[in-house]
Amino acid sequence: MDDAVRAAEAVDVQPAAKKQKTAAGFADNGTTDVVRKSLLSHNSRSELRQQHDTSGPFSHLVLKDLADDKLLRAVREEVIHNISATYKETDLFKVFQTGDLANMDALDPESAAQLPALLALRGAIYSQEFRQFVEDITGVGDLSDKTDLSCNVYAQGGHLLNHDDVIGTRAVSFIIYLTDPDEPWTAEDGGALELYPLVEGQQHTPDVIPTTSLLPTWNSMVMFRVQPGRSFHSVQEVVSADKPRLSISGWYHKAAPQQGSEHASLQQLQMKAGEDQIQMHAEFEGGDTSGAVSEADLALLRAWVNPAYLKAASWAKILDKLEADGSVQLQKFLVPEVADSILQAAVAQDAAEGVGGGKIPSFTAGYSEEWQAVGPPHKQRYLSYRGQP
């Protein structure tokens, strides 16, 4: 994990020798000496269950001061110094991630001796006592004893796009934040966990704007029920250059997949072209378009469109691609002078609204009566012009 932290330009941490000394004394013995005892009390469970059931936009909880501060600092040091992380980037996320920490049971004694605090934390949150606690405060029902968690570091530019977390038997998602305990995380650093409501009147479709943002605060644990087509969330881009967003995240599982998994975001994304289409495009106005393109039409288009796309031979190839894949990308579609003028106008508008410069933009940046956001954000998000031509 050292490489991941260096990539994030993290601040200095204490040397490994001192770290291992502070970690000593913690053992993998359930919740003892790990989780804050008052958190597990009967009164606490009742209060947390009420908070969970009345939260929005979907049921979630934030457990503050989750663990013994000394132990969690030791966990942070062990993760930074003694665990390897791999940089991963896809259309969905950009993050440094370790392997599944469930495999730590197979570590040799020498390796395990370098991770006593992490092993103690893992043992505590997957103990029977803590799983019962999770069942009580979420109402999820019986959880299996499956262990499923990893460490994640979001460096500057790191993010996770909108999705609902539904895969297999996942039942409850959780994140334990290991951000710098001595330099509190702020909204200006980015990296908030964003929770999305559904579009009013549309099942399984997230709105384009989240209604809840949770900062990755040191020693807090966020958890929420995994709900197909409902628990839509994302991780906002991290903009801080020297404060990596370090966390342990994972899932509690049930014995079988949830009902309604066919509505999960992953299933929606894996649909074939047209299967998820809610409504057909509106018919073009301005007369019949079934005939041949006239020379007058082509003359008008040449002022705007790359002439390579105004040839009948190109149209056939584009149509074949569109029918096969459901989408097509046309490079350098506009003529340079038009593209340049649009770019300059967009840059000027961004500057006027304070977009860029290492700042988190408003979700309503660019909004107006003419420009409106189009989703759903687990598939797409862009502004569409609704004004007069």
Side-chain angles (χ1 to χ4, degrees):
M1 189 68 76
D2 274 315
D3 290 340
V5 174
R6 280 199 298 270
E9 298 181 18
V11 295
D12 291 338
V13 293
Q14 57 182 317
K18 186 175 181 179
K19 170 269 304 175
Q20 290 171 1
K21 182 178 179 181
T22 60
F26 294 109
D28 188 354
N29 55 354
T31 58
T32 304
D33 298 328
V34 177
V35 176
R36 176 167 56 88
K37 293 180 180 179
S38 61
L39 188 67
L40 306 177
S41 69
H42 176 75
N43 288 340
S44 174
R45 293 177 195 232
S46 297
E47 293 174 1
L48 290 171
R49 178 61 183 270
Q50 183 177 15
Q51 292 175 26
H52 173 273
D53 292 348
T54 57
S55 60
F58 53 83
S59 299
H60 69 277
L61 279 170
V62 180
L63 309 181
K64 299 179 180 179
D65 299 322
L66 169 73
D68 178 89
D69 187 77
K70 179 182 177 183
L71 176 130
L72 210 63
R73 285 174 180 263
V75 170
R76 174 180 162 85
E77 297 296 290
E78 291 174 6
V79 169
I80 291 174
H81 290 299
N82 301 337
I83 291 184
S84 297
T86 302
Y87 179 71
K88 299 181 179 181
E89 182 173 1
T90 70
D91 290 341
L92 182 64
F93 55 76
K94 181 161 61 172
V95 64
F96 289 91
Q97 188 176 67
T98 68
D100 188 354
L101 298 183
N103 298 326
M104 292 172 65
D105 291 335
L107 289 176
D108 60 82
E110 183 178 354
S111 298
Q114 297 181 31
L115 304 170
L118 180 57
L119 285 166
L121 178 64
R122 191 197 65 162
I125 63 175
Y126 279 99
S127 66
Q128 179 57 48
E129 181 182 5
F130 198 82
R131 285 202 307 273
Q132 182 63 59
F133 169 72
V134 173
E135 293 172 5
D136 291 344
I137 63 177
T138 64
V140 70
D142 293 338
L143 296 171
S144 73
D145 59 359
K146 181 176 180 178
T147 303
D148 183 6
L149 73 166
S150 63
C151 299
N152 299 278
V153 179
Y154 291 84
Q156 186 179 35
H159 61 271
L160 176 62
L161 298 182
N162 187 291
H163 64 293
D164 63 10
D165 255 14
V166 177
I167 294 179
T169 57
R170 291 176 178 177
V172 176
S173 295
F174 72 84
I175 311 101
I176 299 173
Y177 291 114
L178 303 176
T179 48
D180 192 335
D182 300 317
E183 188 175 356
W185 199 273
T186 68
E188 289 71 27
D189 297 321
L193 178 66
E194 302 169 323
L195 310 184
Y196 290 75
L198 297 182
V199 175
E200 185 175 355
Q202 295 186 31
Q203 292 185 330
H204 321 304
T205 304
D207 203 345
V208 293
I209 298 179
T211 53
T212 297
S213 293
L214 306 173
L215 292 182
T217 305
W218 163 256
N219 200 2
S220 65
M221 182 180 193
V222 175
M223 65 173 64
F224 56 86
R225 292 270 298 272
V226 177
Q227 302 176 64
R230 183 73 181 89
S231 51
F232 288 103
H233 61 285
S234 61
V235 174
Q236 186 183 65
E237 180 181 351
V238 173
V239 296
S240 174
D242 57 2
K243 292 169 68 176
R245 184 187 187 274
L246 178 60
S247 67
I248 295 175
S249 61
W251 297 269
Y252 294 99
H253 289 253
K254 295 182 75 70
Q258 298 190 57
Q259 292 183 347
S261 294
E262 67 274 13
H263 302 301
S265 58
L266 179 61
Q267 294 299 116
Q268 293 184 41
L269 292 173
Q270 290 176 339
M271 289 179 176
K272 296 180 181 178
E275 288 182 347
D276 64 337
Q277 192 167 335
I278 298 175
Q279 61 184 12
M280 299 297 293
H281 291 292
E283 292 290 337
F284 286 106
E285 298 179 359
D288 184 17
T289 60
S290 60
V293 180
S294 69
E295 183 56 38
D297 289 335
L298 290 173
L300 175 63
L301 291 171
R302 288 189 188 102
W304 303 89
V305 178
N306 185 333
Y309 295 124
L310 300 179
K311 300 176 181 179
S314 298
W315 304 341
K317 294 179 181 178
I318 294 171
L319 180 59
D320 288 344
K321 179 69 172 176
L322 184 61
E323 290 179 339
D325 298 345
S327 64
V328 64
Q329 186 176 54
L330 305 180
Q331 302 286 344
K332 298 182 179 179
F333 179 72
L334 299 174
V335 295
E337 55 269 27
V338 171
D340 290 344
S341 63
I342 293 174
L343 177 60
Q344 291 173 15
V347 170
Q349 185 65 28
D350 283 351
E353 299 202 31
V355 176
K359 298 179 180 179
I360 296 294
S362 166
F363 269 92
T364 57
Y367 277 36
S368 68
E369 292 184 3
E370 292 82 15
W371 290 95
Q372 299 178 20
V374 176
H378 65 302
K379 299 180 182 180
Q380 60 189 13
R381 190 182 191 279
Y382 59 91
L383 295 183
S384 174
Y385 184 70
R386 306 294 176 87
Q388 295 297 318

